[in-house]
């Protein structure tokens, strides 16, 4: 059920959680990480015939491709003496430990142990389901029997040639719960991002929030207002008043999407009257206090235009760098301040609290 946040909400559970003396059943930086979820492991081009070490949800993983091009993900730790397998070498489709030469197939089973001449039946390395989808490889760190590929989030526009996409990535020292709350909180835009996505009019526009099939959806509408520079400049419509609608969505613990439509009532001759942008935020917790983060900004006009690509890349790198800096500052305060604090929350914080409640429920269900 949707609620409009320019008037008091009737959701008593949310307002109860806003009391400063009680954090409620909401995920935070100490909540156990959610494992039964498809997370991004890497860009597909990063995984090749050179073993790549990366940590997901506190587990060291090694990534590589078979000779046939299939991605492989296995624990980056030899079961014999814990040598990191990413320091080994690939021979065919076998990953050879650099310490005692144990050879492991793509299924994690030991195929050869030179010191014994035969492979011990008990020697194996845990592997993880991993699947290529567009520009990303998605990994499942939870219960293997629950790894349904149909649950991999739909991001088809990232591979659609009709959309022009720019992208970047960060390694961030913060928790993924705070990252989700930051992305779904649009009230900070005019203050943290005044030169890119934020305008004072946007901060005051009506906001509705709802939950749909385990996702949190927020929608905004702003009519007859100047466009933000990040959308207006590449479209060359800064001299226009526009109607702007947006939808931001907490999709899963691994994904946040946003869709913006900018409509021009009196477009210049030969120019479109509607510009669409899809913003895709993908992140994977490395630990409770660090994440891998990939972002993509896609537009439905003039794909391949180098000047627009350059502008969009620079503008969004600036905006997301501002988010990264803010979140790392907050994380430093939370980790090092010796006096405990329960942060206040207010009505506009409701979408973030809704997402945190979903994440808490998922984490507690896994914990049993």
């Amino acid at each position: 059920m949707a609620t409009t946040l320019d008037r008091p909400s009737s959701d008593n559970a949310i307002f109860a959680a806003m009391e400063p003396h009680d954090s409620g059943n909401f995920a935070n930086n100490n909540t156990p990480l959610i494992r039964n979820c498809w997370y991004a492991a890497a860009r597909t081009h990063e995984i090749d015939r050179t073993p790549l070490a990366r940590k997901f949800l506190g587990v060291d993983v090694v990534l590589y491709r078979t000779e046939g091009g299939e991605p492989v993900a296995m624990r980056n730790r030899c079961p014999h003496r814990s040598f990191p397998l990413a320091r080994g070498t690939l021979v065919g489709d076998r990953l050879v430990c650099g310490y005692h030469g144990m050879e492991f197939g793509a299924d994690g089973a030991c195929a050869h142990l030179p010191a014994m001449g035969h492979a011990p039946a008990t020697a194996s390395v845990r592997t993880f389901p991993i699947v290529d989808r567009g520009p990303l490889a998605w990994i499942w760190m939870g219960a293997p029997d629950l790894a349904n590929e149909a649950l991999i989030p739909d991001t088809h526009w990232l591979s659609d040639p009709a959309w022009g996409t720019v992208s970047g990535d960060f390694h961030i020292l913060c928790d993924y719960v705070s990252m989700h709350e930051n992305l779904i909180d649009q009230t900070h835009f005019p203050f943290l991002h005044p030169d890119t996505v934020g305008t004072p009019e946007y901060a005051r526009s009506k906001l509705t929030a709802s939950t749909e099939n385990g996702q949190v959806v927020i929608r905004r509408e702003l009519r007859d207002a100047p466009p933000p520079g990040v959308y207006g400049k590449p479209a060359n419509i800064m001299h226009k008043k526009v109607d702007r609608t947006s939808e931001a969505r907490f999709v899963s613990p691994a994904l946040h999407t946003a869709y913006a439509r900018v409509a021009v009532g009196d477009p210049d001759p030969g120019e479109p009257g509607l510009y669409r942008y899809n913003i895709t935020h993908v992140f994977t917790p490395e630990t409770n206090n660090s994440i891998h983060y990939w972002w993509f900004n896609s537009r439905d006009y003039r794909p391949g235009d180098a000047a627009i690509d350059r502008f969009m890349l620079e503008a969004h790198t600036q905006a997301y760098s501002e988010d990264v800096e803010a979140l790392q500052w907050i994380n430093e305060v939370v980790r090092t301040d010796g006096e405990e604090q329960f942060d206040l929350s207010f009505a506009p914080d409701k979408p973030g609290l809704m997402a945190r409640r979903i994440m808490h429920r998922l984490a507690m269900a896994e914990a049993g």
Side-chain angles (χ1 to χ4, degrees):
M1 180 177 180
T3 57
T4 302
L5 297 188
D6 59 345
R7 62 177 181 268
S9 169
S10 61
D11 191 335
N12 293 327
I14 289 293
F15 276 100
M18 293 180 181
E19 294 299 322
H21 60 272
D22 181 10
S23 61
N25 293 326
F26 295 84
N28 57 33
N29 64 308
N30 293 316
T31 303
L33 299 173
I34 298 164
R35 297 186 176 274
N36 290 325
C37 176
W38 286 102
Y39 290 101
R43 298 182 190 270
T44 53
H45 70 78
E46 291 182 284
I47 304 176
D48 55 25
R49 295 288 292 168
T50 301
L52 172 66
R54 195 158 279 177
K55 180 176 288 188
F56 308 119
L57 287 74
V59 179
D60 287 323
V61 174
V62 57
L63 307 171
Y64 67 92
R65 288 193 184 275
T66 65
E67 291 183 319
E70 293 300 314
V72 177
M74 66 173 59
R75 194 176 184 201
N76 187 24
R77 185 171 179 175
C78 181
H80 178 217
R81 287 294 181 268
S82 295
F83 189 85
L85 293 175
R87 295 288 185 174
T89 57
L90 276 174
V91 177
D93 287 345
R94 294 181 182 179
L95 184 55
V96 182
C97 179
Y99 198 17
H100 295 97
M102 292 182 72
E103 300 179 14
F104 300 93
D107 61 355
C110 180
H112 182 56
L113 174 54
M116 294 181 62
H118 66 277
T122 56
S124 64
V125 182
R126 181 184 175 191
T127 60
F128 306 90
I130 184 168
V131 180
D132 289 333
R133 283 287 188 277
L136 294 170
W138 294 83
I139 191 170
W140 183 272
M141 300 293 293
D145 59 327
L146 299 179
N148 182 355
E149 293 183 19
L151 299 177
I152 297 175
D154 176 24
T155 56
H156 67 274
W157 55 88
L158 299 181
S159 303
D160 189 338
W163 289 77
T165 297
V166 296
S167 180
D169 52 75
F170 295 93
H171 178 264
I172 313 176
L173 297 179
C174 79
D175 61 281
Y176 74 145
V177 175
S178 295
M179 185 56 158
H180 271 296
E181 191 169 40
N182 168 77
L183 291 171
I184 210 165
D185 165 30
Q186 299 178 349
T187 62
H188 78 271
F189 284 9
F191 311 102
L192 194 62
H193 314 300
D195 299 323
T196 52
V197 296
T199 65
E201 295 86 0
Y202 190 69
R204 293 191 294 268
S205 62
K206 284 186 177 181
L207 166 67
T208 62
S210 62
T211 55
E212 301 175 2
N213 299 318
Q215 300 181 2
V216 178
V217 185
I218 63 173
R219 296 181 174 91
R220 266 187 202 276
E221 185 175 290
L222 180 62
R223 296 192 175 278
D224 197 31
V230 73
Y231 299 146
K233 290 180 181 178
N236 195 26
I237 55 172
M238 290 302 292
H239 59 297
K240 300 286 187 179
K241 292 290 186 70
V242 302
D243 293 338
R244 181 180 171 193
T245 59
S246 66
E247 175 190 294
R249 186 178 289 258
F250 164 85
V251 179
S252 79
L255 179 66
H256 178 97
T257 58
Y259 310 96
R261 290 172 172 260
V262 180
V264 183
D266 59 337
D268 291 340
E271 297 298 326
L274 178 65
Y275 300 85
R276 293 188 299 158
Y277 300 86
N278 290 357
I279 302 95
T280 311
H281 302 278
V282 185
F283 38 96
T284 303
E286 179 183 59
T287 66
N288 274 83
N289 283 291
S290 58
I291 61 176
H292 305 287
Y293 169 44
W294 300 265
W295 62 265
F296 303 82
N297 187 281
S298 308
R299 65 185 185 279
D300 72 341
Y301 65 94
R302 291 159 63 182
D305 186 307
I308 294 181
D309 285 348
R310 184 165 54 252
F311 173 83
M312 298 293 284
L313 180 62
E314 292 175 355
H316 285 275
T317 298
Q318 175 186 333
Y320 303 142
S321 295
E322 291 162 352
D323 282 325
V324 169
E325 188 173 57
L327 289 169
Q328 292 191 148
W329 285 342
I330 292 169
N331 184 59
E332 180 69 15
V333 171
V334 170
R335 288 190 305 103
T336 62
D337 187 1
E339 184 174 348
E340 187 175 9
Q341 171 175 299
F342 289 110
D343 288 344
L344 292 169
S345 295
F346 306 101
D349 298 312
K350 181 175 179 178
L353 292 172
M354 294 165 76
R356 288 174 56 191
R357 181 160 60 181
I358 290 172
M359 296 181 73
H360 183 273
R361 184 167 63 245
L362 292 172
M364 293 303 101
E366 288 185 8

